[in-house]
């Protein structure tokens, strides 16, 4: 798996979010009883033939697959065209994402970060490198994954990356996240399946459209976010804070959370939850500003654009069943992709688990 995409993609940046202690099985839900009890992230766009919207999550697919309703899988199966946010199977996507994350003009992190912050970062990454072998699972070793290789895949070249990407990288270097490497994430898995099934695939966004908004955070905001992220991980290292199971939380919400209460969004990066208790009032303000910046730039603006592209693709593929698989966060909350489509006059309905979908041959 490629480093740039190996981390959980995206954005649940809650300015006052919590790093509360949790039981180690935080990501576990009860196994599904009947189909009807499952969460459904499927919506049907009424037309003939129909089109589908499906909310994915950027975690190993094995952690969520059994919780995805059969009718969602049937809709995928029936579709002739499958569209993602980005085309994760295209080498160009991978290299464009990697270069978008680099500092400009061949700069080095040491040149741009305050000295103290740089050394704390380096110390933390040295620690991660040291711990990596003990974090890996026997199953990972069985697949021939080595700690050095994994570390380089995720953190190699970190001195050349923009601070915002280093921050996201640090967040994906926890024990629980490292232990789940090596299995394709759900969105990538669907893309691989679609290819195997000879479906035609595509993307609704360009790499820059995901990457540039992150790079647009201003320097003082980035320093703040990186500092907070490091503080959090340093506390975990010092044993004064339980590791925040951000990814586990996401999985649990996806598998058995209340859809209306779900406030996760997710894309190319997992944004950190800042420790609330340590924030003095003026830092609370900064955290709020970062939060609304991301909400606006990474969610609302993109939803608008994604909705428009969906409409274009539907027009170009009037006679084909289309399946749009985007991060679940783009379908939940305010100003969603669904809202954009409805405002344009399309009929979009949530499709609960257990409801039969119209069976049509994939054209
Ligand atoms: C960054 O943005 C915040 C909020 O818009 C602003 O208060 C601050 O002055 C900006 N800092 C820099 C270095 O531009
Ligand atoms: C990091 O944050 C702490 C606590 O909010 C603050 O005291 C410290 O000055 C910050 N360091 C940098 C480099 O911004
Ligand atoms: C921080 O979060 C904890 C746990 O959710 C909560 O008990 C506490 O009241 C919060 N503190 C502040 C200052 O918001
Ligand atoms: C959604 O919009 C409502 C009304 O404007 C607002 O109260 C709420 O906080 C928004 N939710 C999010 C997640 O932004």
């Amino acid at each position: 798996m490629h480093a740039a995409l190996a981390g959980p993609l995206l954005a649940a940046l809650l300015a006052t979010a919590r790093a509360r202690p949790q039981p180690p099985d935080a990501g576990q839900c009860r196994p599904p009883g009947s189909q009807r009890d499952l969460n459904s992230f499927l919506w049907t766009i009424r037309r003939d033939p129909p089109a589908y919207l499906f909310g994915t999550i950027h975690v190993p697919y094995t952690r969520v697959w059994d919780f995805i309703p059969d009718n969602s899988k049937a809709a995928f199966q029936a579709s002739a065209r499958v569209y993602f946010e980005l085309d994760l199977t295209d080498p160009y996507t991978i290299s464009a994402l990697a270069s978008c994350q680099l500092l400009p003009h061949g700069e080095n992190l040491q040149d741009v970060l305050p000295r103290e912050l740089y050394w704390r970062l380096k110390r933390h990454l040295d620690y991660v490198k040291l711990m990596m072998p003990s974090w890996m699972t026997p199953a990972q070793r069985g697949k021939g994954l080595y700690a050095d290789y994994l570390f380089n895949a995720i953190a190699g070249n970190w001195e050349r990356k923009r601070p915002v990407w280093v921050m996201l990288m640090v967040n994906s270097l926890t024990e629980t996240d490292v232990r789940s490497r090596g299995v394709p994430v759900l969105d990538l898995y669907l893309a691989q399946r679609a290819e195997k099934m000879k479906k035609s695939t595509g993307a609704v966004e360009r790499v820059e459209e995901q990457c540039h908004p992150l790079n647009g955070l201003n320097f003082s905001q980035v320093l703040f976010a990186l500092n907070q992220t490091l503080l959090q991980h340093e506390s975990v290292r010092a044993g004064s804070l339980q590791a925040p199971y951000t990814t586990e939380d996401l999985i649990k919400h996806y598998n058995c959370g209340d859809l209306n209460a779900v406030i996760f969004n997710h894309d190319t990066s997992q944004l950190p939850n800042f420790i609330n208790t340590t924030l003095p009032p003026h830092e609370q303000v900064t955290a709020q500003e970062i939060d609304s910046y991301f909400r606006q730039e990474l969610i609302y603006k993109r939803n608008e654009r994604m909705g428009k592209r969906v409409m274009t693709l539907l027009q170009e593929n009037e006679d084909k069943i289309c399946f749009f698989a985007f991060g679940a966060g783009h379908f939940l909350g305010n100003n969603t992709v669904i809202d954009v489509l409805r405002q344009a006059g399309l009929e979009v309905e949530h499709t609960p688990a257990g409801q039969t979908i119209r069976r049509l041959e994939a054209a």
Side-chain angles (χ1 to χ4, degrees), residues 59-89:
V59 301
Y61 80 93
T62 46
R63 298 292 307 278
V64 296
W65 191 251
D66 291 346
F67 291 83
I68 297 176
D70 288 344
N71 63 351
S72 293
K73 292 171 184 166
F76 175 78
Q77 194 91 18
S79 299
R81 308 248 145 134
V82 185
Y83 298 95
F84 299 91
E85 287 177 30
L86 295 176
D87 185 351
L88 299 181
T89 59

Side-chain angles (χ1 to χ4, degrees), residues 141-155:
R141 281 190 216 102
K143 279 187 203 152
L145 269 179
Y146 293 97
D148 274 355
Y149 169 83
L150 202 51
F151 182 84
N152 281 327
I154 306 169

Side-chain angles (χ1 to χ4, degrees), residues 116-225:
E116 180 246 335
L117 205 54
Y118 173 82
W119 286 106
R120 277 168 56 208
L121 174 63
K122 184 155 169 48
R123 211 174 307 132
H124 182 67
L125 292 175
D126 286 345
Y127 162 82
V128 168
K129 193 167 188 174
L130 192 71
M131 295 307 286
M132 203 82 131
S134 66
W135 287 351
M136 292 182 65
T137 63
Q140 286 174 318
R141 281 190 216 102
K143 279 187 203 152
L145 269 179
Y146 293 97
D148 274 355
Y149 169 83
L150 202 51
F151 182 84
N152 281 327
I154 306 169
N157 209 24
W158 66 270
E159 305 218 34
R160 289 275 297 109
K161 285 189 180 172
R162 292 170 185 267
V164 69
W165 293 99
V166 167
M167 172 195 78
L168 299 172
M169 181 194 88
V170 166
N171 271 309
S172 68
L173 281 167
T174 62
E175 177 170 0
T176 44
D177 284 337
V178 165
R179 290 167 72 88
S180 70
R181 296 293 173 123
V183 176
V185 292
L186 179 61
D187 38 348
L188 179 59
Y189 178 68
L190 288 176
Q192 290 170 345
R193 264 178 91 104
E195 282 205 341
K196 245 183 227 144
M197 295 165 88
K198 307 262 186 264
K199 296 179 186 300
S200 128
T201 62
V204 299
E205 288 191 295
R206 291 191 300 273
V207 169
E208 305 74 45
E209 291 168 339
Q210 274 205 9
C211 187
H212 287 174
L214 271 163
N215 291 347
L217 207 59
N218 81 25
F219 191 59
S220 47
Q221 290 168 327
V222 169
L223 285 190
F224 171 82

Side-chain angles (χ1 to χ4, degrees), residues 114-118 120 220 223-228 230-231 234 275 278-280 282-283:
R115 225 177 121 77
E116 180 246 335
L117 205 54
Y118 173 82
R120 277 168 56 208
S220 47
L223 285 190
F224 171 82
L226 180 59
N227 185 25
Q228 292 301 321
L230 280 172
L231 285 172
E234 286 159 354
I275 308 169
T278 61
L279 294 183
H282 75 277
E283 299 198 331

